[in-house]
């Protein structure tokens, strides 16, 4: 291994582990839903409202943190936001008040929102522009998602919702990892490189990519919120059946993210992303309609379809907006991902009025809409055809007037 690769490996590994300690709280919200239903007799609509609390506020403020990250270097935000995310979720079970629970979960969402844009910029600095290294950083977040059901099962299934303060432990570990990683990274170069980049920002392509990520998010959040309850209902295996289904959905991220980077290196990012969206359509259909233990097979396929594009979304977004990496990260990691939570109360209301199976049916068609948005995109930096050129934004007329302030 070359010396520069070794230099990058240590900080990226620490950042990836820290990312896991943050994103465990995004997965924890969905994993808590069955316990809110069982212990507090919440309706599915009320329980999904808690998912919305974590997602909606996060989706609104995360791009704002991205804009701030483009203006100022804020590496100190990583450990602080990690602790806020953990304290919020750790407080979710200490009171029977629904308003209090929604509030602290929303605070956790703000912590998660503050973390991602700043972390993505720091990770890009540590990665030295390597898409593979950025994939490892993304993998940490997916591992955090995957371990969330296990963390909840270990803490809440044994001690009830009142044991939720123990959920803050990963945040404390993550904050320490962030501090250690930051001591090994010079965060100044990434800011200067972004501020002085001469490549133009392709907002039209970035908007299409963002729309596709919203589609992916709706499917992912919908499955995250209800797959545990759905597996219990379809398989009759109690808590174990539901926890396993959610774990399979999340653990696929570990394999999907790594596979996505490898496949993109061979076939190109956009070809891989489009194929993943197409794979998701029959996978979700299988979850909804195929009975028995095969449910887990289709959950695994859906997980692959949803996670293979994950790190590719991030690097594509950053390359479409090379002068606004923080803003891009805030949107691709924040707004478009979190906004999927807006759909969960509608799915919960539909499930209360009909059945969980009926409520999940709309999720089959949504990946097709995402594929439709992606089909005309070209790789960043690749010259489009004449037809595509006419549809794109006009370049800046005077290169000497390019705004290098990062705004």
């Amino acid at each position: 291994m070359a010396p520069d690769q070794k230099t990058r490996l240590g900080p990226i590994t620490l950042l990836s582990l820290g990312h896991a300690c943050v994103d465990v709280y995004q997965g924890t919200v969905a994993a808590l839903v069955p316990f809110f239903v069982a212990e507090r007799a919440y309706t599915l609509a009320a329980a999904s409202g808690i998912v919305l609390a974590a997602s909606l506020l996060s989706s609104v403020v995360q791009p704002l943190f991205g804009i701030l990250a483009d203006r100022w270097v804020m590496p100190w935000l990583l450990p602080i936001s990690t602790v806020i995310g953990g304290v919020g979720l750790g407080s979710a079970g200490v009171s029977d008040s629904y308003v209090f629970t929604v509030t602290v979960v929303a605070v956790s969402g703000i912590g998660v929102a503050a973390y991602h844009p700043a972390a993505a910029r720091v990770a890009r600095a540590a990665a030295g522009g390597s898409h593979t290294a950025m994939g490892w950083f993304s993998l940490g977040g997916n591992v955090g998602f995957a371990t969330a059901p296990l963390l909840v099962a270990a803490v809440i299934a044994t001690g009830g919702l009142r044991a939720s303060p123990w959920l803050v432990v990963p945040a404390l570990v993550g904050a320490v990892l962030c501090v250690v990683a930051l001591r090994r990274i010079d965060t100044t170069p990434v800011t200067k490189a972004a501020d002085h980049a001469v490549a133009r920002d392709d907002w039209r392509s970035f908007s299409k990519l963002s729309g596709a990520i919203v589609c992916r998010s709706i499917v992912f959040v919908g499955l995250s919120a209800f797959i545990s309850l759905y597996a219990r209902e379809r398989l009759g295996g109690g808590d174990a059946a539901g926890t396993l289904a959610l774990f399979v959905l999340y653990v696929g991220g570990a394999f999907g993210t790594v596979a996505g980077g490898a496949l993109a290196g061979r076939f190109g990012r956009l070809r891989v992303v489009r194929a993943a969206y197409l794979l998701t359509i029959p996978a979700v259909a299988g979850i909804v309609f195929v009975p028995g233990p095969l449910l887990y097979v289709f959950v695994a396929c859906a997980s692959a379809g949803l996670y293979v594009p994950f790190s590719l979304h991030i690097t594509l977004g950053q390359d479409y907006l090379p002068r606004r990496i923080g803003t891009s990260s805030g949107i691709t990691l924040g707004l478009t991902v979190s906004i999927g939570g807006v759909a969960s109360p509608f799915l919960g209301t539909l499930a209360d009025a009909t059945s969980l199976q009926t409520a999940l049916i709309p999720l089959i068609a949504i990946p097709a809409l995402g594929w439709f948005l992606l089909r005309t995109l070209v790789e960043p930096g690749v010259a489009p055809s004449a037809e595509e050129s006419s549809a794109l934004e006009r370049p800046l007329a005077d290169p000497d007037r390019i705004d290098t302030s990062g705004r």
Side-chain angles (χ1 to χ4, degrees), residues 58-59 61-67 113 116-118 120 206 324-338:
S58 177
S59 68
V61 302
Q62 195 154 170
L64 300 180
F65 282 108
I67 294 171
H116 281 100
F206 182 78
R324 293 168 174 82
I325 293 174
T327 301
S328 166
S329 302
I331 294 174
T332 56
L333 281 170
L335 178 62
T336 51
V337 173
S338 302

Side-chain angles (χ1 to χ4, degrees), residues 99-341:
V99 173
F100 176 84
T101 300
V102 169
T103 300
V104 295
V105 169
V107 169
S108 175
I110 293 176
V112 172
Y115 170 85
H116 281 100
R121 287 185 64 87
V122 171
R124 190 175 177 96
S130 167
H131 296 317
T132 301
M134 286 297 292
W136 283 106
F137 169 72
S138 301
L139 173 63
N142 296 332
V143 170
F145 260 104
T147 56
L150 304 181
L151 174 66
V152 171
V155 175
I156 308 301
T158 56
L161 288 171
R162 296 290 182 181
S164 67
W166 286 103
L167 297 176
V168 77
V169 172
L172 301 179
V173 174
V176 173
L177 291 170
C178 289
V179 170
V180 175
L182 290 172
R183 290 179 179 273
R184 303 183 183 183
I185 302 171
D186 180 6
T187 59
T188 303
V190 69
T191 302
K192 290 182 177 179
D195 287 346
H196 295 284
V198 296
R200 72 183 182 93
D201 293 328
D202 184 355
W203 283 100
R204 186 177 182 85
S205 294
F206 182 78
S207 297
K208 290 182 179 181
L209 174 68
S210 298
I213 301 174
V214 168
C215 295
R216 182 260 183 200
S217 174
I218 291 173
V219 177
F220 179 75
V221 175
L223 290 178
S224 297
F226 300 114
I227 192 65
S228 181
L229 293 170
Y230 186 67
R232 296 183 192 188
E233 180 182 289
R234 294 278 282 180
L235 302 176
D239 290 346
T243 299
L244 178 59
L246 193 59
F247 176 73
V248 170
L249 178 66
Y250 289 167
V251 79
F255 299 100
T257 303
V258 174
L263 291 171
R266 181 172 183 180
F267 300 107
R269 287 179 292 182
L270 283 171
R271 290 183 64 185
V272 172
V273 170
R274 293 185 190 112
Y277 277 68
L278 290 177
L279 169 64
T280 306
I281 300 171
V284 177
I287 291 173
V288 175
F289 294 116
V290 176
L294 280 175
L295 170 73
Y296 295 116
V297 175
F298 286 104
V299 171
C301 292
S303 179
L306 292 167
Y307 273 113
V308 161
F310 189 80
S311 66
L312 306 181
H313 287 154
I314 300 171
T315 58
L316 280 168
Q318 291 177 337
D319 290 342
Y320 282 133
L321 300 184
R323 295 165 56 204
R324 293 168 174 82
I325 293 174
T327 301
S328 166
S329 302
I331 294 174
T332 56
L333 281 170
L335 178 62
T336 51
V337 173
S338 302
I339 205 170

